[in-house]
Amino acid sequence: MRRFFDIVLETHLPHLVKDELLEDVDGSLMQRYWLDGKMIRVYNSNDIRSVYIDSEVELEPYFRDKSREKTPLAE
């Protein structure tokens, strides 16, 4: 099943390349993506129960002025 952050990133970032999904011993996930040779990491931490993004790419311009209707929701 695709996760919400997969759907949002893949919808708004053209040419995004999905890399391997890594799983920690506590079940936390780290998904790596590549965009124009720069890495984007999405962490889904079970330890602190949050999702956060560490990116070498400035992401805000891709989401600025986007309507909610253009972002599909996860099943």
Side-chain angles (χ1 to χ4, degrees), residues 4 7-8 10 15 19 24 27 29 31-32 36 38-39 47 49 51-52 55 57-58 63-64 66-67 70 72-73:
F4 180 71
I7 295 169
V8 171
E10 292 168 10
H15 312 294
D19 203 340
D24 199 350
L29 301 173
Q31 178 68 60
R32 291 189 304 195
D36 299 328
K38 296 182 179 180
M39 189 184 301
D47 187 39
R49 293 193 169 143
V51 174
Y52 59 98
S55 178
V57 178
E58 179 60 47
F63 294 93
R64 201 174 281 146
K66 302 289 182 181
S67 71
K70 293 181 181 176
L73 297 176

Side-chain angles (χ1 to χ4, degrees), residues 5-27:
F5 58 81
D6 287 328
I7 295 169
V8 171
L9 287 175
E10 292 168 10
T11 299
H12 289 284
L13 281 79
H15 312 294
L16 185 70
V17 177
K18 191 174 187 177
D19 203 340
E20 67 180 315
L21 175 67
L22 303 174
E23 184 172 357
D24 199 350
V25 294
D26 70 353

Side-chain angles (χ1 to χ4, degrees), residues 29-68:
L29 301 173
M30 194 267 289
Q31 178 68 60
R32 291 189 304 195
Y33 297 93
W34 295 92
L35 183 65
D36 299 328
K38 296 182 179 180
M39 189 184 301
I40 301 168
R41 293 177 205 88
V42 179
Y43 297 92
N44 185 356
S45 174
N46 285 342
D47 187 39
I48 58 174
R49 293 193 169 143
S50 65
V51 174
Y52 59 98
I53 297 173
D54 179 25
S55 178
E56 297 175 352
V57 178
E58 179 60 47
L59 297 175
E60 194 171 313
Y62 292 99
F63 294 93
R64 201 174 281 146
D65 301 323
K66 302 289 182 181
S67 71
R68 290 181 184 228

